[in-house]
Amino acid sequence: MTFRASVLTLYPQMFPGHLGESLAGRAMERGDWTLEAIQIRDFARDRHRSVDDTPAGGGAGMVLRPDVLADAIDHASPPDDARPRLLMSPRGAALTQDRVRELAAGPGVVLVCGRFEGVDQRVIEARGLEEVSVGDYVLSGGEPAALTLLDAVVRLLPGVMGNEASGNLESFESGLLEHPHYTRPQVWEERAIPDVLTSGNHAKIEAWRRAESEKLTKERRPDLMPAKKKPPQG
Ligand code: SAH
């Protein structure tokens, strides 16, 4: 099944961007996924092709008009479209590997990239847009966020990763951050690869990696540590 991504943007030339290269690019050439970038401005109604207007209630910046954006969405994603419609937005729920996995298991995504101050609230409600954030910082537009989301999703599509196994043991997939990696040379700038990794003892190697993962997660992201079972009361 082909995963279909439609992106609504004022800057379609930003796509496929880096997704035309490497793993994602080859997957696209094979037809594992498709990407269409739709110019929101093509749905403007006036001769100036305007897509934005001043914020109701006053204030700085401009807001994307609901009528123009809704026409673009309806063109890309008719009412019977099974694909989720996501709005890239710093107010959204933070994107997680769990959500990425869910999206990769589905038929595709419709991504709306905001610009300026954002989009009119009514189109978010009327078209059921799910707001998604890529982190607690503000970008100038949704395009890099859309590229980031698609990058994370496409690498999970069946057959995209050369080495399927490496998709499963990484940061977040196990709920923990990943252990450190090493490769040759054996000694570099007087630093040796930890002995256990060259021991050939696979059980020991697994135990070492697991312990390193837990140590790193505790130090850097204690919020990711699996909840400890409470000791029995009384
Ligand atoms: N005034 C808005 C910010 C608008 S930034 C606010 O304070 O919330 C312009 C556009 O960039 C947004 O509409 C959104 O599409 C995109 N964007 C900015 N930061 C983002 C983030 N962290 N995650 C996803 N999209 C983001």
Side-chain angles (χ1 to χ4, degrees), residues 88-91 113-118 132-135 137-142 145:
M88 302 299 109
S89 161
R91 301 188 317 186
C113 300
R115 277 271 156 184
F116 322 118
E117 286 310 308
V132 176
S133 167
V134 293
Y137 42 80
V138 180
L139 301 168
S140 51

Side-chain angles (χ1 to χ4, degrees), residues 107-182:
V109 284
V110 179
L111 303 179
V112 179
C113 300
R115 277 271 156 184
F116 322 118
E117 286 310 308
V119 313
D120 187 299
Q121 181 63 26
R122 292 168 294 179
V123 73
I124 301 177
E125 294 163 12
R127 293 299 180 271
L129 303 182
E130 170 193 341
E131 295 182 65
V132 176
S133 167
V134 293
D136 289 342
Y137 42 80
V138 180
L139 301 168
S140 51
E143 289 79 9
L147 287 165
T148 296
L149 182 148
L150 288 173
D151 185 305
V153 168
V154 166
R155 62 190 287 286
L156 295 187
L157 297 178
V160 170
M161 298 267 294
N163 176 5
E164 294 274 349
S166 75
N168 289 319
L169 295 170
E170 292 168 321
S171 294
F172 306 118
E173 292 289 352
S174 64
L176 299 175
L177 301 181
E178 200 180 37
H179 55 78
H181 295 289
Y182 298 89

Side-chain angles (χ1 to χ4, degrees), residues 60-136:
M62 300 293 272
V63 176
L64 270 170
R65 289 168 55 129
D67 50 356
V68 176
L69 188 52
D71 282 356
I73 292 170
D74 293 344
H75 167 85
S77 179
D80 64 344
D81 189 357
R83 297 176 297 167
R85 303 188 187 114
L86 313 184
L87 171 65
M88 302 299 109
S89 161
R91 301 188 317 186
L95 185 63
T96 61
Q97 190 66 14
D98 281 344
R99 186 72 182 111
V100 166
R101 215 181 291 113
E102 271 173 22
L103 292 171
V109 284
V110 179
L111 303 179
V112 179
C113 300
R115 277 271 156 184
F116 322 118
E117 286 310 308
V119 313
D120 187 299
Q121 181 63 26
R122 292 168 294 179
V123 73
I124 301 177
E125 294 163 12
R127 293 299 180 271
L129 303 182
E130 170 193 341
E131 295 182 65
V132 176
S133 167
V134 293
D136 289 342

Side-chain angles (χ1 to χ4, degrees), residues 8 10 16 49 87 98 103-105 126-127 156 180 201 215 233-234:
L8 303 171
L10 290 168
R49 304 224 301 154
L87 171 65
D98 281 344
L103 292 171
R127 293 299 180 271
L156 295 187
N201 182 332
K215 193 174 95 191
Q233 300 290 308

